[in-house]
Amino acid sequence: MAFHQAEVAHHADWRVEVAHPTPAGNLIPDAVVLLANGSSAFVEIDRTMSYARLIAKLERYEAYRSAPASGRGNAARTPRSHWQETYAGPHLDRRFPVVLFVFAPAPRRTAPDTREAAFHERARNIQSVNYKLTVATTTLPLLTKTGAGKAVWRVVGKAQGEERRLLAALPKAR
């Protein structure tokens, strides 16, 4: 609802738990959303996953991004990977979708802001983060209070600060 209210995405532009093939098995994001600017974002809502499973999921995103091209292509274009066929558009004009983690409250778990900070410490050590993958986080309380169109997203990465950014101001993956 926060995305719809901020006019960042329409409520009908969400797909949940869509399987994406990787060499290591399927990647199943909690959701994929088509944003108002025409790009897509993967959304993970975390309440109870261990940090090890969250990092493993992030590594699965890298495997999906790095998967070799499939298919034969044709005279007009070379073969493309699954993510390029699905999200890049006809001329490869879009980068790999941003990966958004939303940390939600859960019984018997640490507070969402504490989990978010701990995730940042662990995820910034993954080589592809902040280079091949753009990963940003927020907490559900902040997202619902402030809105998806405001500066609620923290970018994961070695050179990133603690400031929160607008969704539209997130860096693009290379």
Side-chain angles (χ1 to χ4, degrees):
M1 290 304 296
F3 283 77
H4 178 68
Q5 290 169 342
E7 297 180 357
V8 173
H10 190 268
H11 68 274
D13 289 334
W14 290 79
R15 296 182 302 149
V16 296
E17 298 189 352
V18 177
H20 296 75
T22 78
N26 281 339
L27 163 69
I28 303 175
D30 290 337
V32 179
V33 61
L34 176 63
L35 300 171
N37 67 5
S39 66
S40 296
F42 296 111
V43 181
E44 296 291 343
I45 311 270
D46 175 61
R47 292 185 65 235
T48 59
M49 282 183 108
S50 69
Y51 295 117
R53 286 183 59 206
L54 288 172
I55 296 304
K57 190 133 195 197
L58 196 52
E59 290 169 342
R60 184 72 52 97
Y61 277 103
E62 170 53 21
Y64 179 55
R65 194 208 66 75
S66 300
S70 58
R72 295 177 39 199
N74 59 36
R77 67 173 176 84
T78 60
R80 302 183 327 161
S81 68
H82 183 270
W83 84 262
Q84 290 168 322
E85 287 289 341
T86 308
Y87 301 108
H91 305 292
L92 297 178
D93 56 346
R94 294 199 186 113
R95 309 262 175 133
F96 189 80
V98 64
V99 182
L100 304 173
F101 281 85
V102 179
F103 292 90
R108 297 180 303 278
R109 299 297 266 182
T110 57
D113 54 341
T114 303
R115 289 182 54 72
E116 180 186 28
F119 176 76
H120 274 256
E121 286 300 315
R122 289 165 172 83
R124 72 176 44 139
N125 295 320
I126 296 175
Q127 185 176 6
S128 62
V129 169
N130 199 27
Y131 173 64
K132 296 177 183 176
L133 295 177
T134 298
V135 180
T137 65
T138 193
T139 64
L140 187 59
L142 181 61
L143 183 62
T144 55
K145 177 183 173 194
T146 308
K150 302 290 184 183
V152 297
W153 302 101
R154 276 184 61 205
V155 178
V156 176
K158 292 181 172 89
Q160 303 301 324
E162 294 294 314
E163 81 277 357
R164 298 209 180 252
R165 299 179 184 198
L166 297 169
L167 188 58
L170 295 178
K172 304 289 184 227
R174 296 180 208 132

